[in-house]
Amino acid sequence: SAKAAGKRTFRLFVPNMETRLHERLRLEAKLRHALEADEGLFLFYQPITDVRTRKVTAREGLIRWHHPVRGWISPGEFIPVAEESGLIREIGDWVIRRACRDAAAWEDQARVAVNVSPRQLGIGTLAPAVLGALVASGLPPDRLEIEVTESALLGDEQDALADLRRVRDMGVRVALDDFGTGFSSLAHLRAFPFDKIKIDGSFVQDAVRRPDCAAIVRVVADLGHRLGVTTVAEGVETEAHLDLVVAEGCTEVQGFLLGRPAPSASDIPLIAALTEAFAVRPAA
Ligand code: C2E
Ligand code: MG
Ligand code: MG
Ligand code: MG
């Protein structure tokens, strides 16, 4: 009967949900411990290269976590957990401090870019966190870049923009990340003077076989030129991707072809030891 079927569904479904909730809570507890003990969290860096000068203008910090039992877990899995639990604020502060500290020691004076979650915006905490990290590290503000996606501007947009304005007023640069995947609203470009637009890698990769995607890359690059904004093509994996985005007018490139995310030299021994113990490598 329908009732019996319903019961069966109920029985199968609930334990599964409980398991997932438990798994999530356990992940959150382990992540909190990693943060408090400063154990197992790393920032990898991926170069962003100027197509004309071929120089590295910036490096994007990408968080990596070595879970004590499961080994390396991708940010795609644990950042959402951190966002839902509110832990992202403390992780975000750690990322900003670590990025500024590392970049202050770079000889080439490249900028450092950090990803800021929507949950870190609109609550008045970004500017003090950035200021604290700049002062502690001695990094000049114009060597720090904050990356936000358009989803960060949904909801309390005015509050989010106020936080971004405060850091930009300090001389920190602000980039619009993953452009093309979300709302791609021109209103966002009007509402805030972004210093950089990052075109999502999926457009770059599709553009080699799809003229419509190449046209979108071209239009965003043209827009960047007219607004006086740097345009970065993300996800450049092949020479064909590189040739295309240069032809379409992007001013900077980022992707596996130019360099994979890699740890700071001082983190390499520890990462090698952790990786050997688990026989699983961190996602590059
Ligand atoms: P994102 O900010 O758009 O970062 C770019 C992602 O693309 C990174 O993945 C990078 O490793 C990957 N990538 C770079 N070049 C290529 C390429 O040529 N081909 C392909 N297929 N992928 C490439 P990752 O490190 O796994 O990070 C994923 C996302 O997690 C990031 O996307 C960002 O949204 C988030 N994330 C990473 N680190 C942090 C962080 O410190 N804080 C916050 N809030 N989010 C972070
Ligand atoms: Mg990013
Ligand atoms: Mg991106
Ligand atoms: Mg992304």
Side-chain angles (χ1 to χ4, degrees):
S1 71
K3 201 176 169 190
K7 241 183 196 163
R8 249 194 320 272
T9 312
F10 181 80
R11 281 210 180 129
L12 287 171
F13 193 52
V14 168
N16 183 19
M17 271 177 53
E18 267 179 9
T19 308
R20 276 207 226 154
L21 180 63
H22 274 130
E23 181 51 38
R24 206 178 179 86
L25 289 173
R26 276 166 39 173
L27 206 63
E28 185 194 322
K30 287 275 192 287
L31 191 54
R32 190 179 299 279
H33 175 79
L35 194 63
E36 280 163 6
D38 199 356
E39 213 173 79
L41 286 175
F42 300 93
L43 211 49
F44 279 29
Y45 294 98
Q46 185 180 34
I48 301 173
T49 308
D50 183 304
V51 298
R52 206 174 43 82
T53 65
R54 303 246 156 186
K55 287 215 171 88
V56 173
T57 58
R59 293 184 186 86
E60 180 176 2
L62 294 159
I63 197 166
R64 296 291 180 264
W65 179 31
H66 189 274
H67 183 287
V69 179
R70 290 180 50 194
W72 296 102
I73 299 183
S74 78
E77 180 176 349
F78 72 81
I79 290 290
V81 173
E83 286 177 336
E84 274 186 34
S85 64
L87 205 55
I88 192 65
R89 293 184 198 169
E90 285 150 88
I91 291 180
D93 288 353
W94 181 89
V95 167
I96 294 169
R97 279 197 309 272
R98 179 58 54 94
C100 290
R101 189 198 79 180
D102 287 346
W106 294 345
E107 275 171 18
D108 66 0
Q109 304 287 302
R111 286 189 301 272
V112 67
V114 295
N115 292 284
V116 166
S117 152
R119 294 285 302 267
Q120 289 170 262
L121 283 180
I123 49 176
T125 54
L126 184 67
V130 163
L131 186 60
L134 291 173
V135 168
S137 63
L139 189 77
D142 63 0
R143 287 190 54 208
L144 177 63
E145 201 160 80
I146 299 292
E147 292 192 5
V148 296
T149 58
E150 284 178 291
S151 56
L153 304 179
L154 304 176
D156 293 326
E157 178 169 340
Q158 290 315 317
D159 293 342
L161 290 176
D163 280 357
L164 289 178
R165 220 165 271 125
R166 282 177 72 192
V167 293
R168 198 167 183 277
D169 286 347
M170 291 180 201
V172 171
R173 294 165 47 108
V174 182
L176 191 53
D177 201 359
D178 298 350
F179 194 71
T181 55
F183 294 80
S184 311
S185 168
L186 297 178
H188 292 144
L189 295 174
R190 182 175 61 177
F192 191 81
F194 290 98
D195 298 283
K196 180 183 271 189
I197 299 171
K198 300 188 76 176
I199 305 171
D200 192 70
S202 60
F203 285 93
V204 173
Q205 288 155 16
D206 285 353
V208 287
R209 353 172 224 98
R210 286 186 50 181
D212 55 335
C213 288
I216 291 169
V217 173
R218 160 71 56 106
V219 166
V220 178
D222 285 349
L223 187 63
H225 282 296
R226 300 199 56 137
L227 295 173
V229 170
T230 308
T231 47
V232 182
E234 300 189 274
V236 173
E237 294 180 351
T238 66
E239 292 288 347
H241 295 157
L242 180 62
D243 290 347
L244 185 135
V245 300
V246 170
E248 302 300 357
C250 294
T251 52
E252 299 191 1
V253 284
Q254 177 178 8
F256 295 164
L257 179 70
L258 301 122
R260 289 188 175 250
S264 295
S266 59
D267 285 337
I268 288 175
L270 182 51
I271 287 167
L274 288 170
T275 302
E276 199 175 325
F278 280 75
V280 180
R281 298 158 59 82

